[in-house]
Amino acid sequence: MSELGVWSEVIRRALRDLCGPDTNLRDEAVEWIGDGKGDDFVAVCSAADLEPSAVAKLAHRILALGPDRGRVYLTRVMEVTGNDRDSRDADR
């Protein structure tokens, strides 16, 4: 896995934790993502080639939907972005 892939997986894991059954992991993810402006969060988003404000907006949407609906929403977003990423990789 590339370095970009590793950092992307860190973001995906945090987003999955937001709608997972473990409240401790959810709380940690909420704290880490915060308002999308924390140094560590911004650094990981940058390493993953993602816009921190967009990731934070997605995270807040997932939280607003609640665990079950948030999980479905996240799955759909990840499918779309995965397909888009595959297309961009093919263009390189």
Side-chain angles (χ1 to χ4, degrees):
M1 181 180 284
S2 70
E3 185 175 342
L4 180 72
V6 170
W7 292 117
S8 295
E9 184 56 34
V10 170
I11 298 292
R12 284 192 290 275
R13 177 76 262 169
L15 293 172
R16 284 192 299 267
D17 288 346
L18 293 175
C19 49
D22 188 323
T23 57
N24 290 327
L25 289 177
R26 184 177 314 129
D27 292 345
E28 287 177 16
V30 167
E31 184 177 334
W32 182 65
I33 294 168
D35 63 0
K37 297 178 183 175
D39 291 340
D40 289 340
F41 178 73
V42 169
V44 171
C45 286
S46 295
D49 198 24
L50 297 169
E51 177 59 41
S53 62
V55 176
K57 184 176 179 178
L58 173 61
H60 293 143
R61 175 74 174 144
I62 290 166
L63 285 170
L65 289 170
D68 293 335
R69 291 176 58 212
R71 192 171 18 264
V72 170
Y73 181 73
L74 178 59
T75 299
R76 289 183 181 156
V77 168
M78 289 167 82
E79 286 173 359
V80 169
T81 57
N83 291 337
D84 181 50
R85 183 179 55 249
D86 294 341
S87 297
R88 285 182 288 163
D89 288 345
D91 290 339
R92 290 184 193 181

